[in-house]
Amino acid sequence: MASKGHKISFISTPRKIDRLPQIPQPLTPFITFIKIDLPKVQNLPDHAESTKDLPFNKVRFLKIAYDGLQTPVANFLKRSSPDWVMCDFLTYWLGPIAAEHGVRMAHFSVVPALMLSFFGSPDVAMYGDDSRTRLEDFTKRPKWVPFESEVRPSIFQLTRNHEHLNAVEENVSDAYRLGATIRGCDAVVVRSSYDFEPEWLNLLKELYQKEIIPAGLLPAEATEYSNACWIQTKHWLDMHEKGSVVYIAFGTETKPSQYELTQLALGLELCGLPFYWVLLDQRGLSDDEVIELPRGFEDRTRGRGVVCRGWAPQFQILSHDSVGVLLIHSGMSSVVEGFQLGKPLVLLPFTADQGLIASYLVEKKMAYMIDRGDVDGSFTPESVAESLCFVMASEEGKMYREKAKEMMALFGDKGAQNKCVDELIHFLYK
């Protein structure tokens, strides 16, 4: 939007803004960062301003702190009088504040429409649905979905999300936050496209009775790095044959359990394939449950595998010819980056949103998912090894390699993406 001459004010907390990459010089006149200090609340560690800074059991305190931003955000809207304000679901209180100051509000969803649809209408999200009283009920297709679909989360994925979906102590549940945000907004902008999930986008229009505008799939932009980390990584990748390396990453927030880490590591060892693994073993300094690789794993796989415990230039690594398969959690950013580069996907979802996206990709035969127990999430090293080898090299798995190449046209089409942004801007002018 800034590249088309529109002025953007990006509001966030200081540490989050400081983490952002440098804006390209031609765009600096159009983007202004607005830093608002996060209020201090009890039980929230110092310097924790995002979910990646915290273990799961402390994330709710971050949300409580964000609720303390209402006054400074209201003051900004009053002072600057923007045409629109876009927000995620956390700031469920923003709708009435925006309306009071004559500012239109749009909810921007980083998850696709299929995920939003599972929550139902705003009222259902806020107050629940009498037909879904047990956790098991949420693994079935909701009654308001009129078409056949096998998209669903598993029990273990829902259990992992249970605390976030329900109110805990003084915190407001994520479901209520989403419903209230939708109720208070003028439009919903979704990171999606009608080419990717037409039925779910159309359903969302019916559920919300609001304008639904796909922003496109927002493919990543190539960024050149020349630091020591990338030089060393590129040297290692250059040593391997085209399409032979497995890249493993589960995003900046998904931390496996100790059991999951062990099974995954043993599976990587068993498969014999070269791998590059970006491992999150701790969520912030206050996370005292640091997971550990099996004893001797890194020694036994030295030369064949790399374990990176820090930041890695993911898009640049995925762009390398030696990377043949991605083992990911099914987060949309990783899905988009993989497909825009034509890399086949092996999926290992951990939480409900990841499970829904993964099951949709499997339903559309776009990706392959490692088999896990529905109730306890169990899986074996053998299933990891077999899944990777199946997609990487087998004749039967060729369909996934071909599908990934086919998906490049959908996920990497900059022209289609530009059209979505143009249509979004046209709507905002109305």
Side-chain angles (χ1 to χ4, degrees):
M1 294 174 72
S3 69
K4 298 174 185 293
H6 299 278
K7 291 188 176 181
I8 312 295
S9 296
F10 188 90
I11 306 173
S12 193
T13 55
R15 282 169 58 84
K16 289 180 70 175
I17 287 177
D18 291 343
R19 286 172 174 162
L20 295 174
Q22 199 73 23
I23 296 174
Q25 189 62 38
L27 299 185
T28 53
F30 300 98
I31 300 178
T32 303
F33 291 112
I34 310 297
K35 294 183 178 181
I36 298 180
D37 290 328
L38 190 68
K40 289 188 178 296
V41 299
Q42 189 175 2
N43 299 315
L44 182 65
D46 290 339
H47 309 302
E49 295 186 5
S50 74
T51 50
K52 68 176 290 185
D53 300 326
L54 294 163
F56 286 111
N57 62 355
K58 293 185 179 179
V59 168
R60 66 180 184 273
F61 302 117
L62 180 66
K63 295 172 184 176
I64 294 168
Y66 264 71
D67 291 341
L69 296 175
Q70 296 180 46
T71 298
V73 170
N75 290 339
F76 169 81
L77 295 182
K78 180 180 180 181
R79 183 174 65 251
S80 59
S81 298
D83 298 301
W84 281 86
V85 58
M86 291 190 183
C87 65
D88 65 11
F89 71 94
L90 284 181
T91 51
Y92 71 102
W93 35 263
L94 186 54
I97 294 175
E100 180 184 345
H101 292 92
V103 178
R104 289 180 292 177
M105 187 185 93
H107 168 55
F108 175 59
S109 175
V110 296
V111 297
L114 65 96
M115 176 66 185
L116 297 177
S117 298
F118 259 71
F119 282 95
S121 68
D123 282 351
V124 169
M126 293 170 72
Y127 304 114
D129 169 35
D130 290 342
S131 67
R132 296 196 294 182
T133 58
R134 302 171 305 151
L135 203 59
E136 291 81 0
D137 297 332
F138 290 85
T139 66
K140 302 171 184 175
R141 189 181 70 197
K143 61 185 179 183
W144 50 81
V145 177
F147 47 85
E148 292 296 322
S149 175
E150 294 301 315
V151 173
R152 65 179 185 90
S154 299
I155 285 286
F156 82 88
Q157 294 161 354
L158 288 168
T159 302
R160 210 163 185 153
N161 276 51
H162 187 66
E163 179 180 298
H164 303 306
L165 294 174
N166 295 277
V168 179
E169 297 175 355
E170 68 270 43
N171 185 34
V172 179
S173 73
D174 283 3
Y176 186 93
R177 288 174 185 270
L178 175 63
T181 299
I182 300 304
R183 177 184 279 183
C185 73
D186 299 287
V188 178
V189 181
V190 187
R191 183 184 188 178
S192 188
S193 74
Y194 279 103
D195 290 326
F196 177 59
E197 49 166 359
E199 305 97 332
W200 295 99
L201 283 165
N202 287 326
L203 173 59
L204 206 60
K205 282 185 178 181
E206 296 180 21
L207 291 173
Y208 288 175
Q209 294 295 299
K210 292 179 184 285
E211 288 280 355
I212 307 295
I213 304 100
L217 294 163
L218 306 178
E221 295 286 344
T223 303
E224 291 298 324
Y225 295 95
S226 58
N227 57 27
C229 173
W230 168 241
I231 292 171
Q232 185 177 1
T233 299
K234 184 179 184 304
H235 175 70
W236 185 86
L237 292 169
D238 288 342
M239 293 166 54
H240 293 85
E241 295 180 5
K242 182 178 180 179
S244 66
V245 175
V246 179
Y247 177 82
I248 309 107
F250 304 125
T252 57
E253 298 183 17
T254 301
K255 172 189 159 188
S257 68
Q258 183 60 62
Y259 165 81
E260 292 165 337
L261 179 72
T262 300
Q263 300 299 91
L264 181 57
L266 295 178
L268 289 172
E269 189 172 350
L270 186 63
C271 76
L273 297 169
F275 64 87
Y276 191 99
W277 187 358
V278 182
L279 173 61
L280 176 68
D281 55 8
Q282 185 178 20
R283 283 174 55 115
L285 298 177
S286 62
D287 184 0
D288 54 10
E289 295 183 6
V290 182
I291 51 178
E292 297 180 354
L293 291 166
R295 186 185 298 274
F297 170 80
E298 289 181 86
D299 290 333
R300 293 191 299 272
T301 58
R302 196 174 306 281
R304 177 166 70 86
V306 172
V307 178
C308 172
R309 290 178 172 81
W311 177 85
Q314 176 165 299
F315 189 75
Q316 201 159 359
I317 293 173
L318 300 187
S319 301
H320 198 280
D321 284 344
S322 68
V323 176
V325 165
L326 275 58
L327 173 53
I328 59 173
H329 58 315
S330 310
M332 273 305 291
S333 290
S334 294
V335 169
V336 171
E337 287 184 10
F339 277 148
Q340 77 177 97
L341 295 168
K343 308 289 184 178
L345 307 182
V346 174
L347 309 176
L348 186 67
F350 294 86
T351 60
D353 60 324
Q354 298 165 12
L356 285 169
I357 295 170
S359 60
Y360 180 72
L361 296 177
V362 170
E363 180 178 75
K364 296 298 182 182
K365 295 181 170 54
M366 295 165 67
Y368 187 84
M369 182 158 51
I370 294 174
D371 186 45
R372 302 190 69 167
D374 271 3
V375 176
D376 62 2
S378 60
F379 62 100
T380 66
E382 288 76 13
S383 66
V384 174
E386 290 167 4
S387 299
L388 292 173
C389 293
F390 176 77
V391 175
M392 175 76 85
S394 75
E395 184 61 30
E396 295 87 347
K398 185 178 180 180
M399 60 175 286
Y400 295 104
R401 301 192 293 274
E402 291 179 343
K403 192 67 172 180
K405 299 296 183 187
E406 180 185 328
M407 288 298 99
M408 292 178 72
L410 170 59
F411 285 79
D413 187 338
K414 295 298 177 69
Q417 169 59 38
N418 203 45
K419 182 181 177 183
C420 284
V421 176
D422 285 340
E423 291 174 353
L424 170 57
I425 292 172
H426 177 74
F427 169 80
L428 297 178
Y429 266 118
K430 289 181 181 179

